[in-house]
């Protein structure tokens, strides 16, 4: 089962829809939702750091499981609902401080 705070890889198509690339996303839907639904709610993760108002920067030290190759940014303004069936693999888990930072940024985004 996928849990809130998991970092997973999903295929993302290029704009021409002919090729795709594996991209990391952070699961933000609750564990109870993830257990019952066929989908997960996720945020985009990018290594192109722009330090935007609605992003949270993470490093390997911010993970309780796994490792990041490079410092990355979780974009709380890039929210997607995806089918669990497209997840390629889980490779990390963010700590509770990161999750709390994400909650704060999402609240700022929708207030």
């Amino acid at each position: 089962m996928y849990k809130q705070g998991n970092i997973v890889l999903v295929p993302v198509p290029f704009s021409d829809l002919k090729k795709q690339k594996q991209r990391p996303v952070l699961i933000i839907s609750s564990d109870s939702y993830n257990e019952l639904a066929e989908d997960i709610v996720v945020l985009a993760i990018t290594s192109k750091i722009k330090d935007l108002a609605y992003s949270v920067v993470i490093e390997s030290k911010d993970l309780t499981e796994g490792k990041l190759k490079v410092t990355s940014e979780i974009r709380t303004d890039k929210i997607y609902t995806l089918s669990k069936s497209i997840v390629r693999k889980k490779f990390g888990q963010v700590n509770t401080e990161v999750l709390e930072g994400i909650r704060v940024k999402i609240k700022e985004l929708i207030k």
Side-chain angles (χ1 to χ4, degrees):
M1 183 184 96
Y2 298 108
K3 296 188 177 286
Q4 186 178 62
N6 285 167
I7 299 174
V8 297
L9 284 178
V10 297
V12 176
F14 288 105
S15 56
D16 66 4
L17 301 179
K18 292 181 181 176
K19 294 181 183 177
Q20 58 189 11
K21 191 170 187 178
Q22 302 299 319
R23 294 284 185 205
V25 295
L26 176 76
I27 298 174
I28 60 166
S29 45
S30 70
D31 292 350
S32 58
Y33 177 87
N34 296 337
E35 191 173 319
L36 298 173
E38 294 179 18
D39 298 325
I40 49 177
V41 181
V42 302
L43 299 176
I45 299 176
T46 181
S47 59
K48 292 182 171 74
I49 306 293
K50 295 181 182 175
D51 204 20
L52 301 170
Y54 300 108
S55 66
V56 175
V57 176
I58 59 170
E59 301 173 11
S60 281
K61 68 178 179 64
D62 298 311
L63 304 183
T64 59
E65 293 176 28
K67 185 176 178 182
L68 291 174
K69 291 181 182 176
V70 296
T71 299
S72 299
E73 189 171 66
I74 300 168
R75 296 282 308 270
T76 63
D77 60 332
K78 303 288 184 189
I79 303 170
Y80 308 99
T81 301
L82 304 173
S83 171
K84 288 185 228 177
S85 67
I86 70 165
V87 173
R88 298 288 193 235
K89 73 175 187 171
K90 174 189 160 193
F91 74 91
Q93 172 73 34
V94 298
N95 63 31
T96 54
E97 291 83 11
V98 170
L99 283 174
E100 188 53 38
I102 288 166
R103 288 182 188 103
V104 168
K105 296 288 185 176
I106 290 173
K107 286 178 186 176
E108 290 172 8
L109 179 69
I110 62 173
K111 70 176 178 176

